[in-house]
Structures are given as C-alpha cells and as structure tokens.
Amino acid sequence: MRASGIFMPIFSLPSKYGIGTLGKEAYTFADFLCKSGQSYWQILPLNPTDEGGSPYRSFSAMAGNPYLIDLTILCDNGLLTFAECEAKDFGDDPTAVDYGKLDNNRYRLLRSAFERFDTETPEFLNFCHSERAWLDDYALFMVLKDSYSGKPWREWHNDIKFRKPAALRRIKNDNVRKIEFYKFLQFEFFSQWFALKTYANGRGIRIVGDIPIYVSDDSVDVWCNTKLFDLDENLCPRVIAGCPPDAYSADGQLWGMPVYNWEYMKTEKKPYSWWRARISHALKIYDTVRIDHFRGLESYYCIKYGSKNAKKGKWRKGPGLELFEYFQKDYGKNKKLPIIAEDLGYLTPEVRKLLEDTGLPGMKVLQFAFDPSGKSDYLPHNHIRNCVVYTGTHDNDTVMGWVSSADPREVAYARRYMHVDDNEGFNWAMIRTAMMSVADTCIIMMADFMGLDSSARINTPSTVGCNWKWRIDGSCINDWLAGIIRENTAMYGRLGDNDRISKKKNK
C-alpha cells in the first residue's frame, strides 16, 4: 500500500516550557498528520539523551526521556502548579532547546511532582513489576550516577563497578526513595507516551521509531551486561565502534561506543537475548522500528580503544541473518517484521544480500541522488517498491540548506532532473519527486514542507554543541499547510487508509 508520513522529533514540537513534550501540542500534531492525509509519524529515539541532547548517546536503551514528560499534564493531575512551572527559566528562544537551563530547572519540577505522588497506587506498582527486567537496574544506575556527580560507571568504587552483590544490596537499601524517583519518571513518561500513541493510532497514524545499533559506553546496558561487549578484564573496551575514512571524513569517525561480543551472545541459553528483548520492547512502544546503521549487523568497523582517529580500523562479521530469524520467531512467523533498515552509505554485496534475505525495506535519500554522472541508486527511476524514500533525514541539511551548500553540479543536475520551477520552490520539487517514487512509503521532513533553511537542521554529524535543538513555530502547524500536503499526497496515491479514517474523524 502506498503511503506517506512526516518526520518530526518530539523535542521539536512547540511548548511553553523549553522543549517539545508528550502533551497537547503532540496531540495537535497528530491531528495535523491526519488532516494532511499522512499514515506515519517518524520520530527520533525516545531514550534519555546526553548533555548535548543526542538521543543516540543514552544511559539506557530501554528507558524514556524525562525531558519529554509534559508538565501541563502533571499540573492537571495535581502534581505541580502552573505557578511553579512559570517561575522556571527554560530559555528565551522558542525556536531552540536550551539544554543547560532545561537540565537545571526541569528536574527540580519533576522532583516536586514526585514528592506529591502516591507510590502505592496500583498503576505505579503494576508498571514497576511489569518493567522490572530493565527498570530496576536503570533506576539504580541513575541514583549511582547522581551519587558520583555524573562520573562514568568505570570510575565508581570497584565493588559497584564490578557489581558485587553485597555492595548493590547496600546501595538499594540506603536509597529506596531515590530509586523510586527514577521509576516514577519512567512511569510518567510511558503513561503519557502510550496515551499519545493510542490517540495517534486512532487517527490512522502509525509511529515510526528509531533504535541506534550501538549503546553508550556509559550506560546501564554495558554496566549490567559486560559479557555482551568486547571488554578487557578491567571492563574497558578493547575496540570501539566507528566509520572508516571516506569522501566526507579523511580521518573517519570515532563513535566511542563498545562493540558487541556477538560470539558470546550467540552461545547464550537464549541466543541474542539482550537484542531480542530490545527489539520486543521497541515494537511495543513503536508501530515500526528503524534500525540505525543496519550494515553493522552484517559486518562492522572497529578501532583500537584510545586511537586518535579511525584510519587503522578493522572489519568484523556481525550476526547477519540469524539475528533477524530470531526476531521473526519472537514476533510471529507469519507476520512481516515492521522494521526499516537504515542501509545508507557504502554497501557491499554481502550487505545487499542481507537486506534481500530479511525482506526489510531500505532507505533512499534524495539528497544523495544527484551525482552528475546519473548513476546513483538513490535516483527515483532506480527505486523499488520495498523501500522508504526521504527528502533527507535528521543527519541531512534541509532541502533549502542543501541547495545553498551542495556541490553546484549536483544542484544543477537536480534542477534538471526534477524540472524545478522557481515559483514552486526547490523544496516542493523534491517533495513532489519523492511522492512520485514507486517506493511504497515516503517520509518528508517537516522543515522541508515549510521551506526552511539550515537553521532548521537537526544534526550535523561529527559536530557537538549545535545539534538536537531546532523547534517549530506552533503557527506553522495549521489547516492551510495540511490542505496543501493532503492535496499532494492524494495526487500521488499515498492517502492509503488515511482517506477513510480522516473523513470519519473530521466530520
């Protein structure tokens, strides 16, 4: 079925308190998607972020981001007052997240809300019980992070670093209330998230989530599962993940995450149990999951720990098709896995074979298409049905930013290929081209519908301090734009089930 969607991070939504949340504005955006004739809302990972806001460097692969908890909902539930929220400084710029002010002020409010919360409520107790497999360790990890002033877990006392049972029992017994606070945050996050997801699904909108292939070195996942990673006897990584030198980076990229010990995972009593639990969790909170850096599951590049660049790395084999066969077994043999493979970059025949064998849709990004030689696989006339076409992703510039910064030869070729009419605008020409593709699914960045420049870029890889900040002006989410998007969606046969659902909802 041909369908389309919009890429819009939760944190980029408008709100009064410094960052987009799971509150009223998120419901408004779900309505906007329905009115626009869309079938998908693609977001970034929902995990807690690092100090720079990156959802790809998280303390947990399972937990939700407390920054996204809506304060207004907490006020409505009697856990906060609007006066308390208004008294905090979340920054003066409504178009950008100020993570410094957010960190200083939001947690103070969340702690106040916790003090008024009844931890004996059946809903909270049931949540803590049902999610205990990851929640108990996560809450303990965060309490320890606080007690060690944020230091990485390898700098903790050896008894705790090596998870000696007596030391862990002592910490748990001495910090019951503090541990409950972090469980409360997860309870509130997932309560708000599933309410929003249920509402969006009822409007015919399916959520496309995202999971990074690797986890942060300083995470509860590594601390609690050291045998699953390639670590030495002192629990330091022998090698770290990265990317070899290419046309974009002469030194390659050092990502800093530890790589998996796939051989050990394979020989567990339940093979690949951690990964299978991760995928099962993701498929519970999302309708479809995009696996970032899919090619790393066929083979991955790793660099010796402590290297200053990624020039002298090695390729190692990943788990390949076997891992996906276990995913399929867990999900149901006769059901198609709702997974998108992020297969961008240089692909070997082995990676292409894995994509074919899994049957997963790959990605086609139009900003990568316009090599003047005309030989790119990303050009629409080379697309196949089983793929997802994008104008760009969170790692790309906006279309209008790309026009200003790309190789002029690429821009000239794109102009000819797409028959760009300056009255229409370059962004709409690329949107139209994506919509016309034979690809079953088309996802467009919200900033591209608005024709925004590089100021609306979400992330520039290999840079820090300037990413994950962009926020939309709430006035841009309006019926006029929804009508234009819907008209284009209908023209290229991508309304899908939304046509029936939106007519019923909007009577």
Side-chain angles (χ1 to χ4, degrees):
M1 181 180 70
R2 287 174 65 80
S4 63
I6 296 178
F7 182 99
M8 180 66 171
I10 300 292
F11 70 76
S12 294
L13 293 168
S15 79
K16 294 176 63 177
Y17 303 123
I19 190 170
T21 69
L22 304 175
K24 177 183 176 182
E25 290 80 3
Y27 287 77
T28 298
F29 191 72
D31 290 338
F32 173 82
L33 289 167
C34 184
K35 293 174 183 177
S36 302
Q38 303 308 294
S39 301
Y40 297 102
W41 179 359
Q42 182 163 343
I43 60 175
L44 290 172
L46 290 174
N47 310 111
T49 59
D50 68 3
E51 63 276 6
S54 173
Y56 293 92
R57 292 183 179 275
S58 177
F59 294 137
S60 170
M62 302 291 197
N65 185 357
Y67 284 158
L68 304 184
I69 295 172
D70 186 69
L71 300 183
T72 298
I73 293 176
L74 296 184
C75 291
D76 292 341
N77 292 337
L79 299 178
L80 290 175
T81 68
F82 289 104
E84 288 174 315
C85 298
E86 296 290 345
K88 300 298 183 184
D89 179 11
F90 295 110
D92 300 322
D93 185 355
T95 65
V97 180
D98 186 328
Y99 285 102
K101 291 184 177 179
L102 199 67
D103 191 51
N104 288 334
N105 291 300
R106 185 166 285 259
Y107 269 92
R108 294 178 184 177
L109 289 169
L110 293 173
R111 289 184 188 279
S112 295
F114 171 65
E115 291 303 323
R116 298 161 188 163
F117 179 74
D118 181 5
T119 56
E120 295 300 316
T121 60
E123 294 82 4
F124 177 70
L125 295 175
N126 289 339
F127 172 80
C128 292
H129 178 75
S130 64
E131 304 299 325
R132 64 190 183 281
W134 64 268
L135 182 62
D136 289 353
D137 285 328
Y138 169 73
L140 177 63
F141 181 85
M142 295 307 296
V143 169
L144 286 165
K145 288 287 289 183
D146 290 343
S147 68
Y148 280 94
S149 302
K151 290 182 180 179
W153 63 267
R154 286 194 184 84
E155 297 180 23
W156 299 350
H157 190 279
N158 273 351
D159 282 355
I160 300 173
K161 170 184 171 181
F162 286 95
R163 293 181 56 82
K164 300 296 184 181
L168 296 185
R169 281 196 301 270
R170 185 184 72 253
I171 296 295
K172 291 177 183 178
N173 291 335
D174 292 346
N175 294 276
V176 172
R177 188 69 174 163
K178 292 179 180 179
I179 288 171
E180 279 188 332
F181 167 66
Y182 281 102
K183 291 184 178 181
F184 160 75
L185 295 183
Q186 293 306 303
F187 171 73
E188 284 295 334
F189 173 87
F190 282 107
S191 295
Q192 293 188 13
W193 169 251
F194 282 116
L196 173 61
K197 181 178 182 294
T198 298
Y199 181 85
N201 289 166
R203 305 288 281 176
I205 308 302
R206 285 163 281 179
I207 306 295
V208 180
D210 197 340
I211 62 171
I213 183 174
Y214 294 115
V215 297
S216 175
D217 187 32
D218 185 24
S219 68
V220 64
D221 306 288
V222 181
W223 179 57
C224 290
N225 303 285
T226 52
K227 291 183 179 180
L228 304 185
F229 299 87
D230 189 358
L231 309 178
D232 64 21
E233 62 277 7
N234 291 316
L235 306 185
C236 288
R238 292 188 177 90
V239 293
I240 56 174
C243 182
D246 57 21
Y248 301 99
S249 175
D251 289 335
Q253 297 178 34
L254 291 173
W255 296 341
M257 294 89 155
V259 301
Y260 298 106
N261 185 344
W262 289 114
E263 287 302 315
Y264 177 84
M265 288 187 179
K266 182 178 180 178
T267 60
E268 291 179 287
K269 184 176 181 180
K270 181 179 179 180
Y272 307 109
S273 59
W274 182 87
W275 257 99
R276 292 164 70 179
R278 188 186 189 193
I279 290 294
S280 294
H281 181 73
L283 290 176
K284 181 172 68 173
I285 62 177
Y286 308 121
D287 297 301
T288 298
V289 173
R290 188 195 85 127
I291 297 181
D292 187 61
H293 197 59
F294 168 84
R295 71 104 56 245
L297 297 175
E298 188 284 319
S299 57
Y300 58 95
Y301 191 74
C302 54
I303 309 99
K304 185 177 179 181
Y305 182 68
S307 298
K308 294 182 178 180
N309 59 54
K311 290 182 178 180
K312 295 183 178 180
K314 293 183 178 180
W315 287 97
R316 293 181 180 176
K317 280 292 183 183
L321 183 62
E322 182 179 57
L323 181 64
F324 289 91
E325 290 174 339
Y326 281 112
F327 292 165
Q328 187 70 69
K329 178 182 178 181
D330 295 340
Y331 188 69
K333 289 185 177 181
N334 297 321
K335 298 191 294 183
K336 181 176 173 61
L337 275 172
I339 293 175
I340 297 170
E342 187 270 282
D343 59 339
L344 305 176
Y346 174 69
L347 303 182
T348 63
E350 291 82 3
V351 178
R352 295 179 187 276
K353 180 70 163 52
L354 178 61
L355 185 66
E356 180 182 349
D357 289 344
T358 60
L360 302 178
M363 294 173 57
K364 303 295 183 184
V365 178
L366 291 190
Q367 286 188 34
F368 298 152
F370 300 107
D371 180 341
S373 70
K375 297 179 180 179
S376 172
D377 288 343
Y378 297 117
L379 284 167
H381 64 260
N382 291 325
H383 292 180
I384 60 174
R385 287 187 58 189
N386 188 35
C387 73
V388 185
V389 59
Y390 294 80
T391 49
T393 74
H394 64 276
D395 284 334
N396 292 106
D397 207 336
T398 63
V399 169
M400 299 311 294
W402 176 83
V403 171
S404 300
S405 61
D407 185 327
R409 295 171 298 173
E410 292 184 34
V411 176
Y413 180 48
R415 182 177 289 275
R416 294 195 305 273
Y417 186 95
M418 298 188 298
H419 301 286
V420 176
D421 181 339
D422 289 332
N423 292 322
E424 175 189 38
F426 219 110
N427 59 313
W428 280 102
M430 195 173 285
I431 290 168
R432 168 173 48 79
T433 303
M435 289 277 194
M436 291 172 64
S437 167
V438 70
D440 285 336
T441 308
C442 171
I443 305 288
I444 307 296
M445 301 282 286
M446 184 63 185
D448 287 339
F449 279 123
M450 298 160 60
L452 300 180
D453 60 18
S454 298
S455 63
R457 181 167 186 163
I458 293 171
N459 180 52
T460 302
S462 300
T463 65
V464 295
C466 58
N467 301 314
W468 321 110
K469 293 183 176 182
W470 174 70
R471 297 180 65 204
I472 193 173
D473 184 326
S475 64
C476 298
I477 303 173
N478 56 61
D479 289 349
W480 174 80
L481 181 57
I484 294 174
I485 296 173
R486 186 180 188 87
E487 181 181 341
N488 280 268
T489 304
M491 182 177 295
Y492 299 112
R494 293 191 177 275
L495 285 179
D497 285 342
N498 184 278
D499 190 34
R500 172 182 55 82
I501 294 171
S502 61
K503 284 180 179 177
K504 180 179 178 181
K505 293 288 185 181
N506 293 315
K507 281 185 178 180

